[in-house]
Amino acid sequence: MHHSRIRFSNYKKLLKTPYEAAQLISKDDVLGVSGFIKAGDSKSVLPEIAKRALTEKLSLTVLSGASLGYNTDADLAQNGALHKRLPFQADPTLRTAINNHEILYVDQHLSYTAEMLQNISEYRIDVAIIEAVCITEEGYIVPTTSVGNSASFAQNASKIIIEVNTAMPLDFEGIHDVKLQLKQPHRAVINITKSDDRIGDPYIKIAPDKVLAVVYTDVPDCPAVIAAPDEKTAAISNHILNFLEKEVDAGRLTNSLLPLQAGIGKIANAVLSGFTKSTFENLTMYSEVLQYSTFELFDAGKLTFASASSITVTEGCLRTIIEHFNAYKDKLVLRPQNISNAAEVIRRLGVIAINTAIEFDMYGNVNSTHIAGTKMMNGIGGSGDFARNAYLSIFVCPSISKNNSISHIVPMVSHTDHTEHDVDILVTEQGLADIRGLAPRERAEAIIENCVHPFYKKQLLDYFKEASLKGGQTPHILENAFSWHTHLKTFGTMKLVELVE
Amino acid sequence: MHHSRIRFSNYKKLLKTPYEAAQLISKDDVLGVSGFIKAGDSKSVLPEIAKRALTEKLSLTVLSGASLGYNTDADLAQNGALHKRLPFQADPTLRTAINNHEILYVDQHLSYTAEMLQNISEYRIDVAIIEAVCITEEGYIVPTTSVGNSASFAQNASKIIIEVNTAMPLDFEGIHDVKLQLKQPHRAVINITKSDDRIGDPYIKIAPDKVLAVVYTDVPDCPAVIAAPDEKTAAISNHILNFLEKEVDAGRLTNSLLPLQAGIGKIANAVLSGFTKSTFENLTMYSEVLQYSTFELFDAGKLTFASASSITVTEGCLRTIIEHFNAYKDKLVLRPQNISNAAEVIRRLGVIAINTAIEFDMYGNVNSTHIAGTKMMNGIGGSGDFARNAYLSIFVCPSISKNNSISHIVPMVSHTDHTEHDVDILVTEQGLADIRGLAPRERAEAIIENCVHPFYKKQLLDYFKEASLKGGQTPHILENAFSWHTHLKTFGTMKLVELVE
């Protein structure tokens, strides 16, 4: 039964155990591995490589699609296997090692890694490790729940290890649409004008003589844990739905809106879930990750088609998808991340992009990556790819957290990932600020009025007023621009001491 | 002779003087005016509107392609005619009024204004004022030295005033390629795969019944003043040429490179001039403004084709172009700025983008717009459109200025226009830092080593080392991140006082 997964007989002699395959890596190799937000990653070879590092000094550079599942990133980091990691991670152990300067981390737009591989030679991939649902008669790879950068890695790599995952159903064959882009000046149009357009092959074409080893595994994807919507996320969702309804009423959007994108995590998932009870119909998605909420929308009959680079869902949801895959198969496509996140397509389709901020400032600049300007959280992911090219660029976050000690709206963001030029709508549970076409001081008024928690509203208004006395297109008091952040570090709260009046 | 410029007889009865046309504007109108970096702007009607404001309260919102010529922006500002201005300006008087909070300014990506007009209704154009070299038999507008946003303004506007400029030769007819983009979800591919591809019409199609007035003028474009290359700009140019030669040697680029873009101003112009003496051949440009250096490259036989949205040159150069237009006509195309600056085309063609920074920081973030984080200089212009989508995103500036009192490389930029995720190469007269694929701390080492002036090198290294002691992906001391800027304000220099050891 296993062997029906490998239809290219030349690979049969390359069958190895994960342990054996892991020995084929050299200690300072550059690896390109499949996996995009826990979906479709290597479940056996990469963990075996992490184990190898327990007894042997490894110094690997690991490129992936995005974050990996289970504890793979943690084990690689903890066992000292990593020299450098890119373009995204979301693991607490790895994050700590990055912030402790034990591992170098390059935080990249998810669309950009494939470009970099064509643009500079330093990241020449030594070995690509790619999960497959099966291998075609020609020796090509049919991916599982993500495409990510796998096609670019396979093309760029000297050698390839394929991990055939029998826990994923063969039904997945056909949902992928893989197209490589040629290096400039030979690059063609990406001919996608609707979410469901297909432009490539349902497999990753590779040169079979690059294949070093084929390994079997039967571990399903590491499940996503999605917190249920709560009062705050429901409020954020409602603000967005109300805003979009008004856009429809004003004739600027139709009742099926434009293709939706939602970032990963609890808030974005909750916002999308909210659409199940909305008045909108025949929605589509052109996104990077399909979360639990995507399947809620399918089941509610609200969503007609979803394009992305991965499916990252809860354990129960993945079981349902596998059992009832025919109900979804024609409504899905998984693409390479430089296509799912292509500026060209996002702008052409007019995507409505909903992403999560760590903090934003009163002028509309957004920090998606750094705590207090220095410590990496996860990474920019695809938020920049979408925000800057979207029809509507929406950022969401709670107004406060940690028992009111943190305001997520600050005078100046401590790190800028999305500039004032690229943000249209900001939403907290307090309300929504539509800053399209506004000058900075108009934006500040809208943001302070609509998004800031009452506990911090006067404090931010005071800063804005004092800064405005000095003039300038974007009033600031540079001496105090980060005083909220430094106050938090010293006193455990961003709430400044108020003098008794 | 004048009348051969107007081939649509219905307009003859609409002929008015500039004064009469200026009276057709209502006092709080939203105007969409032609003009892109001094090229192809209104030479008579808009100045007459500025005059009207001397005796009458006007509160206009003025959208343009980019900055205007002569003193039009200054006069509009000084006479109190402006409520709001967008998406770009470069005038000292207007800049002062903006920074003094007399006028609102929306600093936008130059590609974005046309999108905004489709996306929100607030900026509905009341009257478009567009310079023409002539009017076709159908009543359509043939622009002069820029296309800018004129087609979008004409489409969006309720009424149109056309200014026929007889100082510009009829030979210009044919160099424009005008294509409007439909609103999503009906938008098509921008089918440009080479700089010289044409996809539209050589005129701006309008509905003739929208035309309010037609006016004659005979004033050439306000000339650009370009300082000659000096030692610093020559050094910057040489660093870039050497870098590109190495890329060719490494086989990553061919000897004709990829299409060039250069921002406006002295440094970018000098960098391009440097290519005349380079070993590169058969160069092309896919840019927004063609400056003096473009024509130097044509004359040197180095450049085969140039695409942009405007021609902004010196007085002598414009005279030469007009006199010898046949030598250039087939080598040029002028496009709407949302096509010249389209993410889609810039990425597909693989543009090499060279733009000027006001300052950049040791991690590669770039400030293009604000002095000391608050005061607007000009605006982001097209630098973001190009930098983020380029094959190579290069930013240039001198390492120091004002008698060593200012270092243009700082610990943290006081305003972020281009994030660490979007910058590949940084160049000062000191040297070039190639930060492609580097983690932030690697970037800091490359930038401090290669770009910083010796006068500030130890000071920046000290900040970096001290910040690094605290860890973090992007080490900073938030309390001191802007200390160089505040020190400059207080003591007139960024050079911190050193304790006697």
Side-chain angles (χ1 to χ4, degrees):
Chain A
M1 179 271 193
H2 270 187
H3 292 99
S4 70
R5 299 268 183 163
I6 304 177
R7 301 176 201 145
F8 182 70
S9 58
N10 290 13
Y11 289 166
K12 302 271 167 89
K13 63 177 183 292
L14 302 176
L15 275 172
K16 299 227 168 7
T17 66
Y19 173 85
E20 289 165 344
Q23 308 311 309
L24 302 172
I25 306 297
S26 298
K27 66 182 172 34
D28 53 2
D29 268 357
V30 176
L31 306 182
V33 303
S34 67
F36 192 102
I37 317 291
K38 298 185 176 181
D41 56 344
S42 162
K43 314 290 193 302
S44 60
V45 178
L46 201 53
E48 281 292 340
I49 292 170
K51 272 189 213 163
R52 232 184 99 181
L54 285 171
T55 56
E56 189 180 347
K57 178 68 195 155
L58 299 183
S59 182
L60 303 169
T61 294
V62 175
L63 290 78
S64 57
S67 55
L68 306 177
Y70 297 105
N71 289 315
T72 304
D73 262 330
D75 292 344
L76 286 166
Q78 190 143 3
N79 301 350
L82 293 177
H83 165 64
K84 202 179 231 183
R85 183 78 176 84
L86 59 157
F88 187 78
Q89 61 76 37
D91 180 86
T93 304
L94 174 54
R95 176 189 303 152
T96 301
I98 289 167
N99 287 321
N100 289 344
H101 298 185
E102 293 157 17
I103 296 166
L104 291 166
Y105 177 50
V106 187
D107 173 27
Q108 282 181 333
H109 297 301
L110 294 185
S111 70
Y112 183 69
T113 312
E115 300 293 334
M116 183 189 69
L117 290 174
Q118 293 190 328
N119 181 316
I120 50 176
S121 56
E122 204 168 305
Y123 283 101
R124 174 90 200 159
I125 304 288
D126 294 305
V127 183
I129 305 173
I130 298 173
E131 187 180 81
V133 72
C134 65
I135 291 163
T136 70
E137 288 74 2
E138 300 85 0
Y140 301 158
I141 296 170
V142 179
T144 57
T145 44
S146 72
V147 179
N149 283 319
S150 297
S152 293
F153 293 156
Q155 184 192 42
N156 186 287
S158 311
K159 299 288 169 190
I160 300 171
I161 296 173
I162 305 172
E163 198 168 311
V164 177
N165 190 342
T166 58
M168 304 311 281
L170 276 169
D171 292 346
F172 276 29
E173 196 174 357
I175 64 166
H176 311 94
D177 185 51
V178 182
K179 175 86 174 176
L180 281 168
Q181 293 192 275
L182 295 178
K183 180 165 175 172
Q184 299 93 347
H186 306 292
R187 191 168 289 186
V189 163
I190 302 175
N191 202 13
I192 296 172
T193 56
K194 302 187 312 297
S195 292
D196 61 348
D197 280 342
R198 285 177 159 274
I199 58 170
D201 302 312
Y203 43 71
I204 298 170
K205 257 188 199 166
I206 59 168
D209 58 5
K210 286 197 201 173
V211 176
L212 266 188
V214 178
V215 167
Y216 276 113
T217 186
D218 65 348
V219 183
D221 282 341
C222 179
V225 180
I226 287 292
D230 58 23
E231 210 174 305
K232 273 191 186 178
T233 58
I236 290 172
S237 181
N238 284 333
H239 294 314
I240 293 176
L241 293 173
N242 290 340
F243 165 77
L244 292 173
E245 280 165 16
K246 282 183 201 150
E247 291 293 295
V248 173
D249 291 345
R252 289 191 283 267
L253 289 170
T254 71
N255 197 45
S256 56
L257 303 177
L258 285 165
L260 301 171
Q261 176 261 338
I264 55 165
K266 174 181 164 178
I267 305 181
N269 191 64
V271 168
L272 266 196
S273 287
F275 281 86
T276 56
K277 289 172 194 134
S278 72
T279 57
F280 306 118
E281 301 283 352
N282 298 312
L283 297 168
T284 57
M285 290 185 74
Y286 194 84
S287 193
E288 51 183 11
V289 184
L290 304 182
Q291 293 191 92
Y292 179 63
S293 51
T294 299
F295 295 88
E296 284 187 287
L297 286 170
F298 276 137
D299 294 346
K302 287 291 188 187
L303 186 65
T304 60
F305 197 86
S307 164
S309 194
S310 86
I311 299 172
T312 303
V313 294
T314 58
E315 193 166 4
C317 183
L318 184 59
R319 212 178 307 119
T320 307
I321 292 171
I322 290 176
E323 280 170 20
H324 305 282
F325 197 65
N326 280 335
Y328 305 112
K329 188 164 182 171
D330 296 339
K331 299 176 180 169
L332 284 179
V333 66
L334 298 183
R335 310 181 189 275
Q337 67 198 71
N338 52 327
I339 304 285
S340 65
N341 289 28
E344 166 173 352
V345 183
I346 293 163
R347 174 57 58 89
R348 186 183 302 141
L349 268 51
V351 170
I352 296 174
I354 304 166
N355 289 288
T356 307
I358 286 178
E359 63 182 6
F360 58 88
D361 70 27
M362 60 186 190
Y363 296 118
N365 300 285
V366 172
N367 172 11
S368 299
T369 56
H370 283 68
I371 304 297
T374 61
K375 299 247 191 296
M376 175 54 57
M377 188 65 197
N378 298 333
I380 193 167
S383 59
D385 293 325
F386 284 93
R388 57 178 55 177
N389 298 298
Y391 173 84
L392 279 175
S393 168
I394 302 174
F395 281 92
V396 298
C397 71
S399 69
I400 50 171
S401 67
K402 304 217 168 157
N403 205 18
N404 294 8
S405 64
I406 293 174
S407 171
H408 293 270
I409 302 97
V410 292
M412 180 187 271
V413 286
S414 58
H415 186 90
T416 306
D417 293 294
H418 312 288
T419 76
E420 51 160 343
H421 311 286
D422 298 310
V423 178
D424 293 322
I425 309 284
L426 290 159
V427 196
T428 69
E429 82 290 347
Q430 296 294 315
L432 179 150
D434 178 358
I435 60 172
R436 291 177 292 174
L438 299 186
R441 287 176 294 123
E442 294 177 301
R443 284 182 228 142
E445 286 170 13
I447 290 169
I448 294 171
E449 174 65 23
N450 294 292
C451 299
V452 179
H453 192 278
F455 193 62
Y456 284 97
K457 199 175 259 190
K458 182 174 178 302
Q459 185 172 313
L460 193 52
L461 203 57
D462 286 349
Y463 177 89
F464 176 54
K465 281 182 185 165
E466 191 187 340
S468 293
L469 294 176
K470 303 170 166 218
Q473 162 82 350
T474 306
H476 267 302
I477 306 155
L478 286 190
E479 292 83 349
N480 300 338
F482 298 135
S483 60
W484 296 28
H485 298 88
T486 56
H487 198 274
L488 173 68
K489 197 175 59 180
T490 311
F491 299 105
T493 176
M494 284 187 174
K495 185 78 171 180
L496 306 178
V497 180
E498 281 189 70
L499 295 173
V500 181
E501 290 173 38
Chain B
M1 180 270 192
H2 271 185
H3 291 98
S4 71
R5 299 266 181 164
I6 303 177
R7 302 174 202 148
F8 182 69
S9 59
N10 290 12
Y11 288 166
K12 302 271 167 90
K13 61 178 185 289
L14 302 176
L15 276 172
K16 300 224 169 8
T17 66
Y19 174 84
E20 288 166 345
Q23 308 310 308
L24 301 173
I25 306 296
S26 298
K27 66 181 172 35
D28 53 2
D29 269 356
V30 176
L31 306 183
V33 304
S34 65
F36 192 102
I37 318 290
K38 298 186 174 180
D41 57 344
S42 162
K43 314 291 193 302
S44 59
V45 178
L46 201 53
E48 281 292 339
I49 292 171
K51 273 190 211 162
R52 232 185 98 180
L54 285 171
T55 56
E56 190 182 347
K57 177 69 196 154
L58 299 183
S59 183
L60 302 169
T61 295
V62 175
L63 290 77
S64 57
S67 55
L68 306 177
Y70 296 106
N71 289 315
T72 305
D73 261 330
D75 292 344
L76 285 165
Q78 190 145 0
N79 301 351
L82 293 177
H83 164 65
K84 203 178 229 182
R85 183 76 177 85
L86 59 158
F88 186 79
Q89 61 78 37
D91 180 86
T93 305
L94 174 54
R95 176 189 303 152
T96 301
I98 288 167
N99 287 322
N100 288 343
H101 297 187
E102 292 157 19
I103 295 166
L104 291 166
Y105 177 51
V106 187
D107 173 27
Q108 283 180 333
H109 297 300
L110 294 185
S111 72
Y112 183 69
T113 312
E115 300 293 332
M116 182 188 70
L117 290 174
Q118 292 189 329
N119 180 315
I120 50 175
S121 56
E122 203 169 303
Y123 284 99
R124 174 89 199 159
I125 304 287
D126 294 303
V127 183
I129 305 174
I130 299 172
E131 187 180 78
V133 72
C134 67
I135 291 164
T136 70
E137 287 74 4
E138 301 85 359
Y140 301 157
I141 296 170
V142 180
T144 57
T145 44
S146 72
V147 178
N149 282 318
S150 297
S152 293
F153 292 157
Q155 183 192 44
N156 185 288
S158 312
K159 299 289 170 190
I160 299 170
I161 295 173
I162 305 172
E163 198 168 312
V164 177
N165 190 343
T166 56
M168 304 311 282
L170 275 169
D171 291 346
F172 277 28
E173 197 175 356
I175 65 165
H176 312 93
D177 185 51
V178 182
K179 175 85 174 177
L180 281 168
Q181 294 193 275
L182 295 178
K183 180 166 175 172
Q184 299 93 348
H186 306 293
R187 190 168 292 188
V189 163
I190 302 175
N191 202 13
I192 296 171
T193 56
K194 301 188 309 300
S195 291
D196 60 349
D197 280 341
R198 288 179 156 272
I199 58 170
D201 303 311
Y203 43 71
I204 299 170
K205 256 187 199 166
I206 58 168
D209 58 4
K210 285 198 200 172
V211 176
L212 267 187
V214 176
V215 168
Y216 276 113
T217 186
D218 65 349
V219 182
D221 283 342
C222 179
V225 180
I226 289 291
D230 58 24
E231 209 175 305
K232 274 191 186 179
T233 58
I236 291 172
S237 181
N238 284 334
H239 294 314
I240 293 177
L241 293 173
N242 290 340
F243 166 77
L244 292 173
E245 279 164 16
K246 281 184 201 149
E247 291 293 294
V248 173
D249 290 344
R252 289 191 283 268
L253 288 170
T254 70
N255 196 44
S256 57
L257 303 178
L258 285 165
L260 301 170
Q261 176 262 338
I264 55 164
K266 173 181 165 177
I267 304 181
N269 191 65
V271 169
L272 267 195
S273 287
F275 281 86
T276 53
K277 288 171 196 138
S278 72
T279 56
F280 307 118
E281 300 285 350
N282 298 312
L283 298 169
T284 57
M285 291 185 74
Y286 194 84
S287 194
E288 50 184 13
V289 183
L290 304 182
Q291 295 191 93
Y292 178 64
S293 50
T294 300
F295 295 87
E296 284 186 287
L297 287 170
F298 276 136
D299 293 347
K302 288 288 187 187
L303 186 66
T304 60
F305 197 87
S307 165
S309 195
S310 86
I311 298 171
T312 303
V313 292
T314 58
E315 194 166 4
C317 184
L318 184 60
R319 212 178 308 120
T320 307
I321 294 171
I322 290 176
E323 280 169 22
H324 304 281
F325 198 63
N326 279 336
Y328 304 112
K329 188 165 183 171
D330 295 338
K331 299 177 180 170
L332 285 179
V333 65
L334 298 183
R335 311 180 187 276
Q337 67 197 71
N338 52 325
I339 304 286
S340 65
N341 290 28
E344 168 174 350
V345 184
I346 293 163
R347 175 56 58 90
R348 186 184 302 140
L349 267 52
V351 170
I352 296 174
I354 304 165
N355 289 287
T356 308
I358 286 178
E359 63 182 6
F360 58 87
D361 69 27
M362 59 186 190
Y363 296 118
N365 300 284
V366 172
N367 172 11
S368 299
T369 56
H370 283 68
I371 304 297
T374 60
K375 300 247 193 295
M376 175 54 57
M377 189 64 197
N378 297 333
I380 192 168
S383 59
D385 293 325
F386 284 92
R388 57 176 57 174
N389 298 299
Y391 172 84
L392 279 176
S393 167
I394 302 173
F395 280 92
V396 298
C397 71
S399 68
I400 49 171
S401 67
K402 302 213 170 163
N403 204 17
N404 294 9
S405 64
I406 292 174
S407 170
H408 292 271
I409 302 97
V410 292
M412 181 188 270
V413 287
S414 58
H415 185 90
T416 307
D417 293 294
H418 312 288
T419 77
E420 52 160 342
H421 311 286
D422 298 310
V423 177
D424 294 323
I425 309 285
L426 290 159
V427 195
T428 68
E429 83 289 347
Q430 295 295 315
L432 178 149
D434 177 358
I435 60 172
R436 291 177 293 174
L438 299 186
R441 286 176 294 122
E442 295 177 299
R443 282 182 229 143
E445 285 170 14
I447 290 169
I448 295 172
E449 174 64 25
N450 294 292
C451 299
V452 179
H453 192 277
F455 194 62
Y456 285 98
K457 199 174 258 191
K458 181 173 180 303
Q459 185 172 314
L460 193 53
L461 203 56
D462 286 348
Y463 177 89
F464 176 54
K465 281 183 186 165
E466 191 187 339
S468 293
L469 294 176
K470 303 169 165 217
Q473 162 81 354
T474 307
H476 267 302
I477 306 155
L478 287 190
E479 291 83 350
N480 300 340
F482 297 136
S483 60
W484 296 25
H485 298 87
T486 56
H487 198 273
L488 173 67
K489 198 175 59 181
T490 311
F491 299 106
T493 176
M494 283 188 175
K495 185 78 172 180
L496 306 179
V497 179
E498 280 190 71
L499 294 173
V500 181
E501 288 171 40

